[in-house]
Amino acid sequence: MALAQIGVTGLAVMGRNLARNFARNGYTVAVHNRSPEKMHSLIEEHGSEGDFVGSESLEDFVASLEKPRKIVIMVQAGKATDAVIDSLVPLVDKGDIIVDAGNAHYPDTRRREADLAEKGVHFVGSGVSGGEEGALLGPSIMPGGPAESYKSLGPILEKISAKVDGVPCCTHVGPDGAGHFVKMVHNGIEYADMQLIAEAYDMLRAGLNLSPKEIGEIFEDWNKGDLESFLIEITAEVLKQTDAKTGKPLVDVIKDEAGQKGTGRWTVQSALDLGVPVTGIAEATFARAISSQVAQREAAREVLAGSAGDFHIGNREGFIEDVRVALYASKVVAYAQGFDQIERASEEFGWNIDRGAMARIWRGGCIIRARFLNRITEAYERNPELPSLLVDPYFTDAVADGISGWRRVVAQAALAGVPAPAFSSSLSYYDSLRAERLPAALIQGQRDFFGAHTYKRVDMDGTFHTLWSGDRTEVEA
């Protein structure tokens, strides 16, 4: 029997589809699952798609792979992943490659990589985006780990990845946890993108009293321009869907309680640790949290005064355009903040991540794929050291063209009592960046008063402290 070139253990939907993708692209694929039934059903149902080598035991699975072995783990993140790794270690040899393609938390990936490196085994934490369909037809793949492992693993991953203009949506991101970190931030941006789209829908519905189907048609039109993206495309489809049971728009019979699996929280927690403001991502994460606070929301509706007025819209098409430009500008902010976080982490951990390459591999296969990722790629090609995506000439002009509409949307939402946390925080972030002077000077004065935390002056070098409880003279600290 021919040895397999790559193996997949964990054959739930994502693992199953990745295995099929490998096979469809001409690779002999070893497949294994803790419960053998899933392995047998994969081969029975899809064996015609390529060459599979099924194994009921982990020992036989490892033995069926050519060296250096390349093993992809597709199980639940956390303890399950550790358990599989622990079971594999006694069976593999030095130089073999173990790939965790799940949504692992990057500190876990860093720990696992360091542990396995001591044993001479390469560990690759790889982000995979695109959902079930992407796993089968071509995802965006973000592998980290040792650069040496990418020499043999990379060509396989690139072949099964999505392609845009013939370019694979896969590249080596950086060492240890870099791949899973970038995937985490990708998911954080996804949270912001989805929240902004939801707020745009809410504004159009509240402001113009449009039906979901009518708003879906607006989103369908937006998808033909600068906002073209997978998320805008599917939003139009969801809004136009009618519920078979009631005849109502499907969106009206779905509970307004958004779930989350943790990657948004991880992104925000990491940003706090790194000192990077990701306000759009944070507000999107908090918006999901508050949507699930059902008891609080029910109690609040009974007693909290709104004192809100109605929308005053004189020009229907003008309002729709304002919402469109507000959505575009806020999306730019979310992506800018995400790329800032990647850059800060890259500096902190010595990963040397190419931000332009990340934009390039997100152009296809992944959930946040969008036309303007081409523009982001071009921005980092013009200036790899770009301090913020917002100062690239293209994005500076694009946001400036829509700033008035963006402000009108945020103001109208506030006056009408329609929550728009991601729109509002994105605008505040934009204004904070462009402000000549922020009120942080007062905060520094307060900190020095109660805690002698010192401050710096605008007119001379050094660090200073005012003797607040004494004669209030200033001394050098």
Side-chain angles (χ1 to χ4, degrees), residues 222-230 232-233 323-325 327-329 331 370-371:
W222 286 354
N223 200 46
K224 299 173 184 175
D226 288 340
L227 281 171
E228 180 190 349
S229 67
F230 174 70
I232 293 288
E233 177 187 343
V323 175
R324 187 192 71 81
V325 297
L327 176 57
Y328 187 82
K331 280 165 64 78
R371 177 190 291 190

Side-chain angles (χ1 to χ4, degrees), residues 140-216:
S140 174
I141 309 177
M142 298 151 256
E148 183 182 348
S149 66
Y150 197 76
K151 293 176 184 177
S152 59
L153 179 66
I156 299 175
L157 297 182
E158 289 178 10
K159 190 168 183 179
I160 71 157
S161 72
K163 311 292 187 301
V164 175
D165 300 328
V167 179
C169 293
C170 174
T171 192
H172 182 243
V173 176
D176 59 73
H180 275 146
F181 184 91
V182 165
K183 176 56 163 59
M184 176 192 75
V185 174
H186 163 285
N187 285 21
I189 293 172
E190 181 184 308
Y191 273 51
D193 210 340
M194 294 172 72
Q195 176 65 24
L196 289 165
I197 290 170
E199 290 179 17
Y201 151 76
D202 205 23
M203 289 289 290
L204 291 172
R205 193 160 192 186
L208 297 175
N209 198 30
L210 298 176
S211 69
K213 182 180 178 181
E214 290 172 315
I215 299 172

Side-chain angles (χ1 to χ4, degrees), residues 245-476:
K245 292 184 179 66
T246 64
K248 297 178 180 178
L250 178 64
V251 72
D252 285 348
V253 300
I254 297 175
K255 285 189 176 182
D256 60 337
E257 302 167 29
Q260 53 183 305
K261 291 187 176 180
T263 47
R265 288 197 302 271
W266 290 348
T267 306
V268 177
Q269 289 163 353
S270 166
L272 289 170
D273 291 338
L274 294 167
V276 182
V278 292
T279 56
I281 296 170
E283 289 296 348
T285 305
F286 293 141
R288 292 196 187 192
I290 198 170
S291 76
S292 300
Q293 302 297 316
V294 178
Q296 287 184 338
R297 291 173 60 200
E298 288 177 352
R301 277 197 296 272
E302 300 295 326
V303 297
L304 296 187
S307 299
D310 296 323
F311 281 93
H312 297 286
I313 298 168
N315 184 325
R316 178 184 183 276
E317 296 306 316
F319 180 71
I320 293 173
E321 176 62 10
D322 280 354
V323 175
R324 187 192 71 81
V325 297
L327 176 57
Y328 187 82
S330 298
K331 280 165 64 78
V332 172
V333 167
Y335 280 75
Q337 292 176 346
F339 279 99
D340 288 349
Q341 185 171 356
I342 290 171
E343 177 67 8
R344 187 68 59 85
S346 182
E347 294 171 356
E348 177 76 14
F349 302 119
W351 287 337
N352 196 29
I353 297 175
D354 181 344
R355 290 176 292 174
M358 298 307 98
R360 187 173 65 249
I361 67 173
W362 288 350
R363 293 182 304 163
C366 72
I367 302 301
I368 63 171
R369 59 186 183 267
R371 177 190 291 190
F372 89 153
L373 279 160
N374 286 311
R375 299 292 191 179
I376 296 176
T377 304
E378 293 165 2
Y380 286 117
E381 286 174 351
R382 283 191 290 271
N383 181 6
E385 306 302 320
L386 196 65
S388 169
L389 196 59
L390 287 163
V391 303
D392 173 76
Y394 173 82
F395 289 107
T396 298
D397 292 344
V399 174
D401 288 344
I403 189 67
S404 296
W406 193 9
R407 294 192 189 286
R408 284 192 293 269
V409 165
V410 171
Q412 286 173 317
L415 291 170
V418 175
F423 274 158
S424 302
S425 66
S426 298
L427 180 58
S428 292
Y429 175 84
Y430 176 86
D431 283 334
S432 294
L433 280 187
R434 57 176 287 279
E436 183 175 346
R437 190 164 169 80
L438 294 169
L442 177 58
I443 293 171
Q444 283 300 91
Q446 293 169 333
R447 294 179 72 242
D448 188 59
F449 190 106
F450 66 69
H453 292 296
T454 73
Y455 52 84
K456 293 182 179 180
R457 296 177 58 97
V458 298
D459 54 358
M460 63 179 72
D461 293 333
T463 303
F464 302 89
H465 167 58
T466 293
L467 301 174
W468 297 102
S469 57
D471 62 4
R472 298 204 173 188
T473 57
E474 182 180 75
V475 297
E476 284 200 59

